Amino acid sequence: MTSMSAITQTSDLTNKAALIPLATERPAYYRMSGIEETSNVSSEFQEERSEVEVEEEIGYEDPFRYVFYRDRKEWADLEPVPQDDGPNPVVKIAYSDKFTDVYDYFRALLKNDEKSDRALLLTAEAIELNAANYTVWHYRRVLLQALEKDLREEMRYITAIIEDQPKNYQVWHHRRMVVEWLNDPSEELEFIAEILSQDAKNYHAWQHRQWVIKEYKLWDSELEYVEQLLEEDVRNNSAWNQRHYIISHTTGYSDPAILNREVQYSLKQIKKAPHNESVWNYLKGILQDLGLSSHPGLLEQILELKETHCSPYLLGFLVDIYEDFLENTLEHHEEVLSKALELCELLAREKDTIRREYWSYVGRSLQTKYGSSDSSTTTSAPGIDPGSASVHQETPCSS
Amino acid sequence: MESVSSPLRCFGECHTAEKYTDDGVETVTSVEQRKVERSIQEVVSVYKQIHSLPHTTAVFATMTEPTLLRDQHYQYLKKGLRHLSDAYECLDASRPWLCYWILHSLELLEEPVPTAIASDVCKFLAQCQSPTGGFAGGPCQAAHLAPTYAAVNALCIIGTQEAYNIIDREKLLSFLFSVKQPDGSFVMHIGGEVDVRSTYCAASVASLTNIMTPTLFQDTPTWIVSCQNWEGGLGGVPGLEAHGGYTFCGMAALVILGKEHMLDLKSLLRWVASRQMRYEGGFQGRCNKLVDGCYSFWQAGLLPLLHRALFKGGDSTLSLQKWMFEQQALQEYILLCCQNPAGGLLDKPGKSRDFYHTCYCLSGLSVAQHFGNMDLHHELIVGREENRLAPSHPVYNICPEKVAQAIQHFHQLPVPVPAQKEVSSACNTTADHS
């Protein structure tokens, strides 16, 4: 699913529909829970019978044939609890028989507050049917602790589940809990890297990675990892964010040597791929606290790049430098303002027209804030009721 | 009111020039982007062919302008409100969401919900309410802030006394306290994860049902602001990449709490304005990722919030007619690229329809059609006038009348007194599993 439908912690239905595993692909815990007990009939006697007769005799069924919980002898003591949607259900899902059966028994376990191994096995089935059921995950965690289960085995389990469904909130949260209980992050960086190798921008993966690194102080090799990812895809915005994360939490950007290194690194990436928005945002992001206009020689370098590596991002960056200059310097206001307004108008009219309304606004704001009061294209001065319609407010900045 | 019958932006000469420039450096990002642009180009080209045929028959005449397939969407929504296929098993822990997505879509289409169905929704949501407060993803599940948000919104859309009476306000308040963290954040459910969605869900339901106490959101604004990063947008938790969904949640929560000025609004504005795709016209969720119809709301929906915040802050240079994004381009993307001919809306061409995308594509279409600033209202409808949707409240994403009505109703009731200790520091232990 897109990480956006994550807002509602749901999964992409397209992907889900395609992922119906065959019985043979199911993990071991599934097969074992479906098998009936075998009897003690001697093998000599069995050989003379047909397969079906043998099966019927010993009650041993095809291990790949699913058996509903309602038909399992070892669950006969538990009364299933059907879902109560109320009298006239809405948004009623046409659950498969299997789904209904598993969840009827899950509700029964919950009702009785049963803490047992069979309950644990059932949670795995319930999770497989809907890995977004956070109530089941919570119950599973309660069971793991109450039954003092082997958490190393749980790590293996959650690893497999995440590989299969890496865009689900619950699976990552569960892994975090198990790592915390074990107090062992040793597998994490490698595991997350493996998931990122399949989708280098998986938001949950990055969230887990940042948590592990911060919690267990695993900063040392992360910058190297980020550089590797940026080598592979210099447009990976998640990697640029991670770069910022690491540096902010280790050396920081106040050391001029570090800042300069990062500026040089960024300019190098810009030259390679000038239309990569991420690097321009990064460059601005690291310089804005100090002030874009304060970095010596930067304006000159950008103006140089404008000739050979121009892009809407470069032009926007120039606007930002000029704006910072206007904010922090008292001289040359008219000249700098004029250049800034010219760029805003160029962006709005030609170079970045999808953001026409935005660049027009920026131009008007600069004009209002830094323009002299007798300028010919004044917008309404502060204090005038903005509720009065004014065509001038729509006029693009002067060229 | 402005009605754009032609020309469409995507038919313009300059449109092709807006395609992605990969500078000769191919990476996964640029390859994926170009694939999407090719599919959009295909859609536009097919549409253009139909558009330019002589209007000899009535069938073709109706295709000349982008058309919202109202009837088809209505049938899809009407059916889904009652029955869903087993493909929806993965949403079995999100059924209040299904109620909200469908009811909100119907209200945007200005289709009334029959009284009987509305009452059935109320009764169902009552089954989803937890005995300890808040709403769960389905009957007998644990309370969770996301379905709580969805349930309260759905009940407010219905807006009857029956609907309002379903909500147990006292228990809801104690649920909110039970998920509140000392640092100002909220976990999504007992034993669950923290991220900025939870603050929006909590602030939304608390403000609508009038259960806000002085301490409920203590330190919450500071925590939300700490999610704003170097890009200007907000991540799910501090340190993470800026993302449209989380940014909307954080900003909307701050607006509810009256603290939106704690954010760097200028850099947020730059970030969100930059998320509109120059070729596709729709929005991406994060920098250098792909367009998706649902961001038509999460991202574009930030601009009304920013407009209001900047205006409140004394900005006199704001437009009086338009939001700071390309409204026409977004409408074209939704109408041409995000509709399933059999009803329902979607992420992008080639993807399946679903009720989540139906809700948020329509919500985004509404934002793009309606500009409102105090007593000013300016409409820009791409295609026929029949494409017009109802306006939606930019904070709650239900119709403004329903917001006003709910607030009016619940403000007649006293704020409940919290029964237990106000902030539970032990509330994220795994031992508790009500």
Side-chain angles (χ1 to χ4, degrees):
Chain A
M1 96 186 169
T2 65
S3 48
M4 198 45 250
S5 46
I7 279 284
T8 53
Q9 54 127 42
T10 60
S11 309
D12 183 353
L13 294 170
T14 330
N15 290 338
K16 287 299 284 183
L19 283 174
I20 304 164
L22 303 169
T24 47
E25 288 170 15
R26 295 191 189 279
Y29 56 84
Y30 168 97
R31 284 196 287 275
M32 288 191 294
S33 61
I35 291 174
E36 306 266 278
E37 286 172 5
T38 56
S39 74
N40 296 319
V41 176
S42 77
S43 54
E44 220 177 82
F45 183 60
Q46 282 172 34
E47 275 163 285
E48 295 173 65
R49 310 269 220 90
S50 73
E51 222 173 49
V52 175
E53 285 176 288
V54 169
E55 281 191 15
E56 283 174 337
E57 166 84 276
I58 65 175
Y60 182 89
E61 298 188 10
D62 174 3
F64 296 141
R65 194 196 322 158
Y66 184 74
V67 179
F68 293 116
Y69 281 83
R70 60 180 181 255
D71 297 326
R72 298 184 198 192
K73 288 200 293 283
E74 65 275 21
W75 285 86
D77 60 295
L78 198 57
E79 189 68 38
V81 175
Q83 180 160 277
D84 186 6
D85 273 3
N88 301 309
V90 293
V91 296
K92 188 172 196 235
I93 300 169
Y95 307 110
S96 67
D97 275 344
K98 186 164 169 208
F99 194 101
T100 305
D101 177 64
V102 167
Y103 275 94
D104 282 354
Y105 277 84
F106 176 71
R107 280 181 281 271
L109 289 172
L110 216 51
K111 185 172 165 188
N112 294 346
D113 197 21
E114 180 175 319
K115 310 248 172 64
S116 64
D117 270 303
R118 71 175 182 178
L120 189 67
L121 287 172
L122 189 128
T123 61
E125 289 234 49
I127 282 163
E128 192 171 8
L129 290 165
N130 179 18
N133 193 314
Y134 56 89
T135 305
V136 177
W137 279 108
H138 186 269
Y139 196 59
R140 186 177 175 88
R141 283 192 284 277
V142 168
L143 291 171
L144 288 169
Q145 302 218 283
L147 303 172
E148 296 178 336
K149 302 304 290 186
D150 178 358
L151 296 177
R152 298 281 166 199
E153 197 184 325
E154 190 65 7
M155 277 298 284
R156 288 191 288 275
Y157 167 72
I158 196 61
T159 297
I161 300 288
I162 294 175
E163 284 280 4
D164 194 41
Q165 302 189 59
K167 288 193 171 184
N168 163 303
Y169 276 95
Q170 287 70 36
V171 299
W172 287 97
H173 181 67
H174 189 77
R175 189 184 179 97
R176 174 170 160 162
M177 298 305 302
V178 178
V179 167
E180 276 182 356
W181 290 341
L182 284 169
N183 197 32
D184 178 11
S186 62
E187 293 176 23
E188 298 317 281
L189 295 182
E190 191 181 326
F191 170 70
I192 302 164
E194 154 60 26
I195 297 295
L196 289 174
S197 72
Q198 296 161 39
D199 172 3
K201 301 178 185 181
N202 182 319
Y203 206 82
H204 302 284
W206 283 111
Q207 183 165 354
H208 188 74
R209 198 173 181 91
Q210 287 195 350
W211 169 74
V212 166
I213 286 174
K214 187 167 196 209
E215 189 71 17
Y216 298 98
K217 304 181 185 4
L218 301 172
W219 305 97
D220 291 348
S221 54
E222 191 64 0
L223 190 57
E224 191 187 317
Y225 176 67
V226 162
E227 294 222 347
Q228 177 204 316
L229 289 183
L230 289 174
E231 249 317 293
E232 289 167 18
D233 185 354
V234 71
R235 300 177 177 101
N236 185 339
N237 199 67
S238 308
W240 283 103
N241 181 71
Q242 190 74 342
R243 191 178 183 96
H244 194 279
Y245 181 74
I246 302 301
I247 295 173
S248 316
H249 283 86
T250 52
T251 57
Y253 288 93
S254 355
D255 178 356
I258 301 285
L259 185 60
N260 202 51
R261 180 196 74 196
E262 292 301 298
V263 170
Q264 294 318 312
Y265 179 80
S266 304
L267 290 171
K268 184 170 154 207
Q269 304 311 324
I270 285 170
K271 283 174 189 141
K272 277 196 223 161
H275 289 80
N276 172 17
E277 190 183 342
S278 292
V279 62
W280 284 103
N281 293 345
Y282 183 75
L283 187 57
K284 180 167 79 159
I286 63 178
L287 289 172
Q288 60 194 2
D289 287 342
L290 278 170
L292 294 185
S293 62
S294 68
H295 199 87
L298 183 67
L299 174 60
E300 287 68 32
Q301 282 185 289
I302 304 294
L303 288 171
E304 236 182 83
L305 277 174
K306 185 167 177 266
E307 301 311 305
T308 48
H309 297 74
C310 201
S311 70
Y313 314 115
L314 183 146
L315 299 174
F317 195 86
L318 277 175
V319 172
D320 294 331
I321 298 180
Y322 292 142
E323 180 167 14
D324 187 69
F325 188 88
L326 290 166
E327 180 84 19
N328 295 301
T329 326
L330 293 169
E331 329 145 329
H332 308 299
H333 260 216
E334 257 182 64
E335 195 190 322
V336 174
L337 176 62
S338 161
K339 287 201 179 121
L341 294 179
E342 192 180 329
L343 283 169
C344 287
E345 204 264 337
L346 179 63
L347 285 159
R349 188 176 39 85
E350 187 189 324
K351 299 290 184 185
D352 201 17
T353 59
I354 192 81
R355 274 165 276 285
R356 181 185 47 209
E357 284 301 317
Y358 171 72
W359 290 116
S360 301
Y361 165 77
V362 172
R364 290 194 303 271
S365 300
L366 289 173
Q367 176 73 275
T368 301
K369 193 166 178 191
Y370 301 107
S372 53
S373 52
D374 58 352
S375 165
S376 56
T377 49
T378 8
T379 55
S380 65
I384 289 181
D385 176 11
S388 57
S390 166
V391 174
H392 289 302
Q393 292 201 358
E394 308 278 330
T395 311
C397 18
S398 56
S399 50
Chain B
M1 194 267 293
E2 221 178 297
S3 183
V4 182
S5 54
S6 65
L8 295 185
R9 177 188 170 267
C10 58
F11 286 0
E13 290 170 349
C14 300
H15 187 232
T16 333
E18 299 285 20
K19 279 185 150 187
Y20 196 82
T21 313
D22 72 5
D23 303 313
V25 177
E26 266 192 15
T27 64
V28 172
T29 301
S30 62
V31 167
E32 291 306 303
Q33 176 60 26
R34 286 173 72 152
K35 274 189 206 164
V36 170
E37 288 180 357
R38 266 198 299 279
S39 76
I40 302 302
Q41 180 178 29
E42 187 58 35
V43 167
V44 170
S45 146
V46 166
Y47 189 86
K48 218 173 185 175
Q49 286 171 26
I50 296 171
H51 177 85
S52 59
L53 277 168
H55 308 161
T56 50
T57 69
V59 172
F60 286 121
T62 60
M63 292 296 282
T64 55
E65 299 194 48
T67 305
L68 179 65
L69 303 172
R70 286 180 161 277
D71 291 336
Q72 291 87 329
H73 299 321
Y74 176 62
Q75 293 307 322
Y76 175 63
L77 292 161
K78 186 178 167 202
K79 177 153 189 253
L81 192 50
R82 276 293 179 205
H83 293 108
L84 298 162
S85 74
D86 63 358
Y88 277 86
E89 283 177 352
C90 61
L91 285 172
D92 187 44
S94 296
R95 290 173 70 201
W97 275 115
L98 288 159
C99 295
Y100 163 68
W101 294 329
I102 295 172
L103 288 173
H104 180 53
S105 300
L106 289 168
E107 74 170 345
L108 288 171
L109 290 167
E110 292 177 304
E111 295 285 355
V113 178
T115 328
I117 300 183
S119 183
D120 292 339
V121 173
C122 291
K123 294 187 173 77
F124 171 70
L125 290 174
Q127 293 295 108
C128 294
Q129 189 162 217
S130 164
T132 49
F135 291 82
C140 285
Q141 296 179 30
H144 186 297
L145 278 171
T148 299
Y149 165 84
V152 170
N153 261 8
L155 291 167
C156 289
I157 291 173
I158 292 169
T160 58
Q161 290 303 309
E162 181 192 3
Y164 297 142
N165 291 342
I166 299 290
I167 304 167
D168 184 328
R169 293 164 71 245
E170 287 70 24
K171 297 235 176 83
L172 178 57
L173 182 59
S174 70
F175 171 62
L176 294 183
F177 274 120
S178 78
V179 288
K180 176 81 189 291
Q181 302 299 291
D183 68 354
S185 65
F186 289 78
V187 290
M188 293 298 291
H189 62 99
I190 304 284
E193 72 275 15
V194 168
D195 63 55
V196 76
R197 293 174 296 157
S198 61
T199 63
Y200 172 59
C201 294
S204 179
V205 305
S207 56
L208 284 173
T209 62
N210 187 29
I211 60 175
M212 283 176 67
T213 73
T215 56
L216 183 55
F217 293 104
Q218 200 157 59
D219 299 321
T220 304
T222 315
W223 187 85
I224 297 174
V225 168
S226 73
C227 293
Q228 183 169 32
N229 79 346
W230 57 276
E231 300 172 79
L234 277 69
V237 297
L240 283 178
E241 193 184 359
H243 180 300
Y246 294 119
T247 304
F248 178 85
C249 288
M251 172 100 201
L254 286 172
V255 168
I256 293 172
L257 300 174
K259 299 282 195 280
E260 61 268 37
H261 287 96
M262 290 173 67
L263 286 168
D264 179 347
L265 296 175
K266 288 284 155 78
S267 60
L268 175 46
L269 174 61
R270 167 69 70 94
W271 177 80
V272 64
S274 301
R275 301 284 67 76
Q276 188 167 20
M277 308 301 278
R278 60 181 68 250
Y279 184 74
E280 302 92 298
F283 281 78
Q284 63 188 176
R286 304 180 248 168
C287 181
N288 267 327
K289 289 211 76 183
L290 302 176
V291 72
D292 182 334
C294 69
Y295 295 118
S296 308
F297 178 73
W298 302 119
Q299 297 284 35
L302 279 164
L303 290 145
L305 297 177
L306 279 163
H307 204 105
R308 181 181 171 281
L310 292 166
F311 180 78
K312 267 181 78 182
D315 194 322
S316 58
T317 59
L318 293 164
S319 169
L320 297 170
Q321 300 200 315
K322 300 212 168 131
W323 303 122
M324 283 185 275
F325 72 94
E326 234 289 2
Q327 291 169 238
Q328 182 181 346
L330 179 60
Q331 292 187 49
E332 285 179 24
Y333 177 67
I334 296 169
L335 292 171
L336 269 64
C337 304
C338 297
Q339 295 193 86
N340 182 311
L345 291 100
L346 38 102
D347 165 352
K348 56 171 72 63
K351 300 281 184 166
S352 301
R353 63 185 183 176
D354 60 59
F355 294 104
Y356 164 84
H357 282 93
T358 301
C359 172
Y360 292 105
C361 284
L362 290 175
S363 301
L365 184 57
S366 172
V367 169
Q369 289 177 343
H370 299 282
F371 173 85
N373 181 15
M374 306 287 265
D375 35 17
L376 279 172
H377 186 210
H378 189 86
E379 285 179 8
L380 191 157
I381 314 287
V382 168
R384 302 152 62 208
E385 164 62 11
E386 287 76 14
N387 293 349
R388 184 190 183 281
L389 293 173
S392 193
H393 193 292
V395 170
Y396 301 97
N397 200 25
I398 65 176
C399 287
E401 311 77 45
K402 297 295 164 76
V403 173
Q405 200 187 300
I407 288 179
Q408 205 241 2
H409 168 87
F410 288 108
H411 272 77
Q412 287 164 2
L413 305 172
V415 177
V417 177
Q420 57 199 61
K421 67 181 160 93
E422 293 184 345
V423 176
S424 167
S425 54
C427 56
N428 59 347
T429 58
T430 54
D432 182 352
H433 77 285
S434 55

